[in-house]
Amino acid sequence: MKLRVTTCHDRDTWDRAVLSAGGHPLQLWGWGEVKSRYAWTADRLFVQDAQGRQVGAAQVLHRRLPPPFRSLAYIPRGPVAVEGDRAAVLTALADHVKGTRGSIALSIEPDWADPQSPLPKGVDDEEIARIQQSPPTGWLASVAGAGFRRSANTGLIPRTLVVDLTPDEDDIRGAFNSSTRQNVRKSFRAEGVRFGLVTSDADLEQVLAINKETGRRAGFAVHDDSYHRAIRDLMGERSQLLAAWEGDDLVAFVWLVVSDTTAFELYGGVSPRGMKLRLNYGLKFHAMQHVKAQGVARYDFNGLLNDGISDFKRQFSKHEDLLIGTWDKPLSPLYPAFATALPTVRHALKRGLPALRATARDPKSALDRVAGTVRRRGDTKP
């Protein structure tokens, strides 16, 4: 199938195409605008067949890298393409990126379920590893045949929990643990408590304070305040920040980005008072009700690890989900050197340890060191 790639320069045209195709909120124009404030640039690309029919779309983020690497091309939770067209769309996108940007690789983390998903709740890491290391089959084999390979350099966690919002609310709640259902009911009955959208700057300040404290408590880094305000401002109505208040005090929040089909949790947090009242339970269900009322069919908890936060998330379903994860297509002979450096960069970004803060602020610094080694070896062929 001969495909043609064109660039879209109009926000409304782009968002209509992504939304009508069931695309993920990280593929919406506003998310590219957010990332473009922080060392990335965004290309919005349509993929069309010979008859002009649109068969795919991808918001491709580009990050400039030190010489000789040039740049990395990255598609978060995309591209948008039906199962039978995925390999061909990816091939067209990779050829376009190589020809126009000269990037070292095209890295994708699609919103595509692994063929063996969903999985039982609490599946062990060994089973996840077995699935991820097994030879790809079906349409996923076609992706591998297009030159993409699995990568352990993961940004967005593929192991997650996606709640189906299409049943009625009683059935959705019925999938919760019994203690979780009890905590939801208790928080809804709590005196002086309300749930709703955050609309004021004063309440946003309370959200940001809780987010920082949650990060300190759980041991992960958080973005600065300006980044979060950019999400609110640039995503517009697709950014939906929900909270629980006790009186005038905001005590829990969940921050979503929302497309027509998918609500995706970016962040969440709860104060000690909110934990005591179990308001994080009621807020989570309120958030599901809120987006279900908009016609959204999927609520993605955005990642499961072996930590307390993930244990909390697992209480809201009887299963887990697994996306296909990170796949890279090398576009340069320098890709192996780049892939060696990337784990150090991402480890710094995820852990946020004091000794790695400088790298977290400037992720290309680790790549600079590898690039210097490559140049000294004389391995600088494009």
Side-chain angles (χ1 to χ4, degrees):
M1 178 168 53
K2 180 67 174 177
L3 299 179
R4 182 172 65 100
V5 177
T6 60
T7 302
C8 178
H9 298 286
D10 180 75
R11 178 172 187 151
D12 290 342
T13 299
W14 177 260
D15 282 351
R16 279 197 303 270
V18 170
L19 294 171
S20 64
H24 194 275
L26 297 191
Q27 282 291 293
L28 292 173
W29 187 283
W31 188 251
E33 294 298 285
V34 172
K35 304 307 289 185
S36 293
R37 288 193 177 182
Y38 295 88
W40 297 87
T41 57
D43 288 341
R44 289 89 178 185
L45 304 176
F46 287 138
V47 183
Q48 299 170 327
D49 64 14
Q51 289 72 45
R53 181 178 67 94
Q54 185 176 306
V55 295
Q59 177 164 253
V60 185
L61 304 180
H62 299 274
R63 179 123 196 187
R64 187 175 180 181
L65 302 175
F69 297 129
R70 300 187 68 174
S71 69
L72 171 68
Y74 169 53
I75 307 178
R77 291 296 181 255
V80 181
V82 299
E83 189 173 290
D85 292 334
R86 288 171 179 174
V89 166
L90 286 170
T91 297
L93 290 168
D95 291 344
H96 177 85
V97 166
K98 183 176 182 179
T100 59
R101 293 279 190 163
S103 300
I104 194 163
L106 175 59
S107 183
I108 64 169
E109 293 181 327
D111 189 29
W112 299 341
D114 186 277
Q116 298 188 54
S117 184
L119 305 173
K121 183 167 72 173
V123 60
D124 59 35
D125 292 342
E126 289 75 17
E127 177 63 13
I128 296 291
R130 184 197 66 77
I131 293 170
Q132 293 177 329
Q133 293 166 11
S134 62
T137 58
W139 65 266
L140 195 52
S142 299
V143 171
F148 285 81
R149 60 181 70 168
R150 295 184 191 270
S151 172
N153 293 325
T154 298
L156 295 167
I157 301 169
R159 184 178 185 176
T160 187
L161 171 60
V162 180
V163 172
D164 180 6
L165 298 179
T166 57
D168 64 38
E169 291 184 3
D170 287 341
D171 288 339
I172 294 171
R173 191 166 40 214
F176 301 171
N177 287 355
S178 59
S179 60
T180 302
R181 293 195 298 271
Q182 182 179 356
N183 285 329
V184 168
R185 290 192 295 268
K186 180 180 178 181
S187 64
F188 277 19
R189 294 195 300 262
E191 185 177 353
V193 167
R194 62 185 175 91
F195 301 96
L197 284 167
V198 172
T199 58
S200 73
D201 286 338
D203 283 338
L204 178 59
E205 290 298 325
Q206 293 189 71
V207 165
L208 298 177
I210 292 174
N211 193 45
K212 291 170 188 172
E213 177 55 34
T214 301
R216 284 191 292 268
R217 196 164 58 233
F220 58 81
V222 298
H223 291 287
D224 60 31
D225 291 354
S226 63
Y227 183 90
H228 295 92
R229 291 192 179 94
I231 294 171
R232 177 196 63 182
D233 297 340
L234 298 174
M235 291 293 290
E237 65 181 6
R238 297 295 170 176
S239 166
Q240 299 185 18
L241 176 53
L242 296 134
W245 288 263
E246 183 188 29
D248 293 330
D249 295 329
L250 191 150
V251 295
F253 78 92
V254 60
W255 200 323
L256 308 173
V257 285
V258 183
S259 69
D260 284 356
T261 57
T262 301
F264 184 69
E265 282 194 5
L266 290 178
Y267 316 107
V270 59
S271 72
R273 178 62 178 168
M275 281 191 284
K276 183 176 181 179
L277 295 174
R278 300 291 193 266
L279 295 186
N280 47 337
Y281 288 88
L283 178 58
K284 198 72 76 175
F285 186 55
H286 172 77
M288 294 180 194
Q289 292 175 309
H290 176 78
V291 296
K292 178 179 172 62
Q294 301 169 52
V296 172
R298 305 167 70 238
Y299 187 101
D300 189 338
F301 279 69
N302 184 14
L304 295 173
L305 298 168
N306 293 315
D307 61 2
I309 293 175
S310 298
D311 290 341
F312 169 70
K313 294 177 180 180
R314 288 185 174 97
Q315 297 179 60
F316 290 87
S317 183
K318 296 178 180 178
H319 76 281
E320 295 183 14
D321 294 273
L322 184 66
L323 304 182
I324 68 166
T326 309
W327 289 67
D328 292 353
K329 182 167 185 176
L331 302 177
S332 162
L334 297 178
Y335 174 80
F338 166 79
T340 298
L342 196 55
T344 300
V345 176
R346 280 187 165 153
H347 178 77
L349 290 170
K350 289 179 180 179
R351 296 288 294 171
L353 299 174
L356 297 173
R357 288 284 168 83
T359 304
R361 287 192 297 269
D362 182 14
K364 81 180 186 69
S365 60
L367 294 172
D368 280 322
R369 293 192 291 275
V370 177
T373 301
V374 171
R375 287 193 293 269
R376 286 193 297 275
R377 292 174 178 170
D379 186 11
T380 57
K381 293 181 180 179

